[in-house]
Amino acid sequence: MSTAQHLRNVPIFSDLKDSDLEIIAEKMISRTYEKGQMILLEESQGETFFIITSGAVKVTRLSDDGREVILAILGESDFFGEMSLLDGEGRSANIVANENAEVLTLSRSDFLNCLETYPKIAISLLEELAIRLRKSDQHIESLSLSDSEHRIAITLIRFAQELGTIKNGEVRIKNLPFQQDIANMAGTSRETVSRTLKILEDKKLLLKDGKDLIIYNFDEFRQLFS
Ligand code: CMP
């Protein structure tokens, strides 16, 4: 697939004419990263904007006691690296390849030029940032819940939305992140995550299938815990 064809599938570029996509595509460089490779380091200077064309990355920060906390998982057609280009501060988080990943990159000046030249890109970017802010708000709210089963379920809903594929109301989360990652996100211990997954499995709400997790009825699951 050509770079311009990749861009056509990316929501923030999807409203552009083919001729404009070609112009932007010429400025992009493709890069590949292996699973586990660090792509961006928190606080480093931001010079580049990224679009994922295949694979997935995790957005992480280190807590005060050194635990890695996942803020989000981004997949195909998602972007990252825009924040430090917009506010001039250092990178707000680490980005690590969650699986082998291919990206397209744009330099800071080309990214800022794109926003000025094509307001449709700027509006789509703001829409996506609003979605991310809503998710963060929900996450902060969920951390105030005293009940750990609830916090874990909300973390699973987040992973289902970011990593899952839905078919007939059933969601499959491929390669569910480690129980320790879920625990760090939900503000609980790995043991509690293990116990809670078992309880939810006994209630026939979900199933662990190898490295995957299946939520049988995603709508019902969301209603129970949101
Ligand atoms: P930047 O700060 O340049 O580098 C780290 C990137 O992680 C950041 O831009 C965003 O693209 C991304 N990022 C930071 N926080 C979140 C979040 N809560 N959800 C999704 N992506 C994020």
Side-chain angles (χ1 to χ4, degrees):
M1 207 190 280
S2 73
T3 303
Q5 282 166 332
H6 273 305
L7 293 184
R8 171 66 62 219
N9 297 328
V10 176
I12 59 166
F13 292 112
S14 57
D15 285 341
L16 265 65
K17 289 189 291 188
D18 284 343
S19 53
D20 292 333
L21 286 182
E22 294 288 349
I23 294 171
I24 299 172
E26 275 175 22
K27 300 179 195 301
M28 299 193 115
I29 297 172
S30 95
R31 292 188 198 168
T32 56
Y33 295 94
E34 285 181 12
K35 181 178 173 158
Q37 206 176 337
M38 182 73 93
I39 303 175
L40 293 182
L41 193 61
E42 188 180 345
E43 290 181 8
S44 63
Q45 190 68 26
E47 296 297 343
T48 316
F49 175 70
F50 296 76
I51 291 163
I52 304 169
T53 49
S54 77
V57 305
K58 53 183 179 175
V59 183
T60 70
R61 288 184 71 140
L62 283 187
S63 66
D64 283 349
D65 53 1
R67 285 175 306 147
E68 182 192 63
V69 181
I70 298 179
L71 301 179
I73 295 192
L74 303 174
E76 201 172 308
S77 299
D78 283 330
F79 62 82
F80 59 89
E82 78 295 344
M83 287 173 63
S84 56
L85 302 189
L86 292 169
D87 69 8
E89 300 283 324
R91 296 295 190 188
S92 59
N94 300 300
I95 303 280
V96 184
N98 206 36
E99 47 192 82
N100 291 347
E102 285 176 14
V103 299
L104 291 170
T105 65
L106 206 53
S107 72
R108 176 194 194 109
S109 57
D110 286 335
F111 170 70
L112 295 176
N113 277 337
C114 268
L115 296 186
E116 282 183 19
T117 315
Y118 308 106
K120 281 180 177 171
I121 299 183
I123 291 171
S124 302
L125 190 95
L126 286 172
E127 277 172 13
E128 176 57 27
L129 293 182
I131 292 170
R132 291 183 185 179
L133 186 56
R134 268 182 202 277
K135 280 189 187 167
S136 294
D137 289 350
Q138 280 161 1
H139 188 73
I140 291 167
E141 188 194 356
S142 80
L143 288 178
S144 70
L145 297 168
S146 54
D147 164 11
S148 59
E149 176 176 307
H150 225 98
R151 295 200 305 270
I152 291 165
I154 287 174
T155 305
L156 295 178
I157 291 170
R158 177 95 187 259
F159 283 139
Q161 289 164 338
E162 292 175 353
L163 292 174
T165 44
I166 190 156
K167 203 170 159 193
N168 300 329
E170 180 180 293
V171 170
R172 175 178 286 269
I173 308 174
K174 260 189 99 63
N175 289 325
L176 183 76
F178 295 125
Q179 291 187 356
Q180 187 61 59
D181 290 333
I182 299 172
N184 292 348
M185 274 182 92
T188 186
S189 67
R190 195 200 60 73
E191 291 73 17
T192 307
V193 171
S194 171
R195 207 172 46 243
T196 304
L197 288 178
K198 181 85 186 52
I199 291 170
L200 294 173
E201 218 166 343
D202 290 345
K203 289 183 183 171
K204 305 267 180 288
L205 292 172
L206 51 77
L207 175 73
K208 282 200 69 200
D209 183 20
K211 287 184 172 177
D212 298 356
L213 184 95
I214 296 168
I215 300 178
Y216 291 121
N217 184 334
F218 191 48
D219 277 347
E220 181 194 50
F221 194 83
R222 266 195 308 207
Q223 271 163 23
L224 274 174
F225 294 105
S226 298

